[in-house]
Amino acid sequence: FGVSSLLGIYDDSDEGAQLYMIEPSGDCLRYFGIAVGKGSQQARVQLEKLNFDTITAKEGAIKIAEIIYQLHDEVKDKPFELELSWICDGTNKKHQLVPKDVLKQAIDAGIKAAEEPETDDEDEEENDENMNK
């Protein structure tokens, strides 16, 4: 057993914002997006679909909330309260909780995403349609 730690930093080099995960084994790897804990594998699959180079911090916060709410099983999992923080140009490159209005938008989007019926990946559906032509 051990603890996986996430470390978010921002420096003034060309690297800018950075996210690292330190594993219980001592391994430290850099990520654009990562999840730890229960359901992390499913969340990682969803995170890999996002292009963090083309979305804003606000859009990223909303997407993260959608992933969390979609993966939360109300029957099996304990209730949770979503808290989001970020490091971005809008925070003067300092770690801060997201503003309440962004958090509300993220929670609303997450709840809506969780209520939508589960479907196969849209790309797979498009591929199936193209194969049938």
Side-chain angles (χ1 to χ4, degrees):
F1 293 91
V3 175
S4 293
S5 299
L6 298 178
L7 176 65
I9 64 169
Y10 196 107
D11 70 31
D12 291 325
S13 72
D14 291 338
E15 298 293 321
Q18 301 166 60
L19 175 65
Y20 295 90
M21 182 169 67
I22 305 165
E23 299 276 2
S25 66
D27 289 343
C28 180
L29 298 172
R30 183 175 175 193
Y31 295 91
F32 288 101
I34 190 67
V36 296
K38 185 176 181 183
S40 63
Q41 192 60 37
Q42 293 170 306
R44 288 179 186 187
V45 169
Q46 296 299 317
L47 288 169
E48 288 173 0
K49 295 177 184 178
L50 300 177
N51 184 348
F52 291 100
D53 290 331
T54 62
I55 61 175
T56 66
K58 179 180 175 181
E59 291 168 336
I62 291 170
K63 290 287 187 186
I64 298 299
E66 289 174 352
I67 292 169
I68 292 170
Y69 275 89
Q70 285 173 332
L71 296 178
H72 182 258
D73 185 337
E74 291 186 17
V75 175
K76 295 180 185 176
D77 299 332
K78 295 179 184 177
F80 72 95
E81 180 178 336
L82 183 67
E83 294 180 353
L84 297 171
S85 62
W86 56 16
I87 302 172
C88 61
D89 292 334
T91 65
N92 200 23
K93 303 171 186 163
K94 296 191 183 326
H95 178 251
Q96 294 180 357
L97 292 173
V98 300
K100 290 182 181 183
D101 63 316
V102 175
L103 180 61
K104 180 169 180 4
Q105 288 177 12
I107 290 171
D108 291 345
I111 291 169
K112 182 179 177 185
E115 291 172 349
E116 293 175 358
E118 292 184 30
T119 59
D120 291 336
D121 189 17
E122 292 177 6
D123 293 337
E124 289 178 7
E125 291 175 12
E126 288 177 17
N127 288 340
D128 289 345
E129 288 175 16
N130 291 335
M131 292 180 72
N132 291 331
K133 290 183 179 178

